[in-house]
Amino acid sequence: MLFSFSHINRLRIISFWLFLIPLCALIFSLLFHNLILDFNFSSKLTRFNVSLPKTINCTKENLYCVDPYMNLPSKNYETFDDCNTHLVTQYFISNGKIVSSDHDYAFVSGLVSVEVKEFLLLNGAIGGRQMTKNFNDLWNKVQTPENINLSMVYYQQKELDKQCIKNSKLYFLYKIFPKPFYIIENIKNN
């Protein structure tokens, strides 16, 4: 009788561990999966190296401010905590009045012709494509207005940048254990 009672206790302990270990594995795998899905931080954010607000005149040299971020001096960083804590955006000013926040305003308003926009699209200046090798030669030959009396103002919004880890509750963990954040980013991006 004593032998069977100890055998039953041993089976109870084994069955408890056989229940607990898979349960923990299931819970941790679900938590890890949720962490990967909710992970929206990036180590490859662009940080702008200017004091904001900054005003830039839209001219032929800067392609009439078509690409909203090509006019700001910036640097791409490889760490999570080198980021702007607030979102940076822009609006257009014409004759001292705010006219639009649409980055295509110079074309939509008719200040610059549709043919110029098509040229920029075809030659890679818009849309994130690589510019053609002889872009500058071709651009100088295109008939464009010299002065369109338009300026772009960059400013920092009150809204926090959700991709910047400095705005997260996980920032203190990143300062202690940064390596897991890079591993999670690699898993999510690949």
Side-chain angles (χ1 to χ4, degrees), residues 3 8 11 38 41 44 49 55 57 103 111 116 121 144 147 150 169 186:
F3 177 73
I8 291 173
L11 283 175
D38 293 338
F41 307 115
K44 294 171 179 45
N49 301 327
T55 303
N57 290 326
H103 68 275
L111 293 172
V116 173
L121 278 169
T144 57
N147 185 7
L150 187 68
K169 295 175 185 174
N186 285 336

Side-chain angles (χ1 to χ4, degrees), residues 5-6 9 41 79 83 89 94 97 111 143 150 152 154 158 161-162 168 177 180 183:
F5 184 71
S6 66
N9 278 340
F41 307 115
T79 60
C83 55
T89 190
S94 180
K97 296 179 183 174
L111 293 172
Q143 293 295 323
L150 187 68
M152 182 185 283
Y154 293 94
K158 292 181 182 177
D161 186 356
K162 304 238 186 287
S168 170
F177 305 111
I183 292 170

Side-chain angles (χ1 to χ4, degrees), residues 83-160:
C83 55
N84 292 346
T85 56
H86 291 80
L87 292 174
V88 175
T89 190
Q90 77 283 341
Y91 58 85
F92 286 97
I93 295 178
S94 180
N95 297 324
K97 296 179 183 174
I98 298 175
V99 289
S100 178
S101 61
D102 181 17
H103 68 275
D104 262 358
Y105 178 74
F107 302 108
V108 173
S109 66
L111 293 172
V112 179
S113 68
V114 176
E115 290 82 17
V116 173
K117 182 177 183 179
E118 288 173 1
F119 171 81
L120 293 173
L121 278 169
L122 289 173
N123 290 289
I126 306 174
R129 294 182 15 226
Q130 186 68 27
M131 284 194 216
T132 56
K133 292 180 183 178
N134 56 350
F135 176 80
N136 289 332
D137 296 333
L138 294 171
W139 180 239
N140 290 330
K141 293 177 184 174
V142 173
Q143 293 295 323
T144 57
E146 288 301 319
N147 185 7
I148 60 172
N149 196 20
L150 187 68
S151 299
M152 182 185 283
V153 177
Y154 293 94
Y155 68 98
Q156 203 167 9
Q157 291 182 335
K158 292 181 182 177
E159 183 180 348
L160 296 175

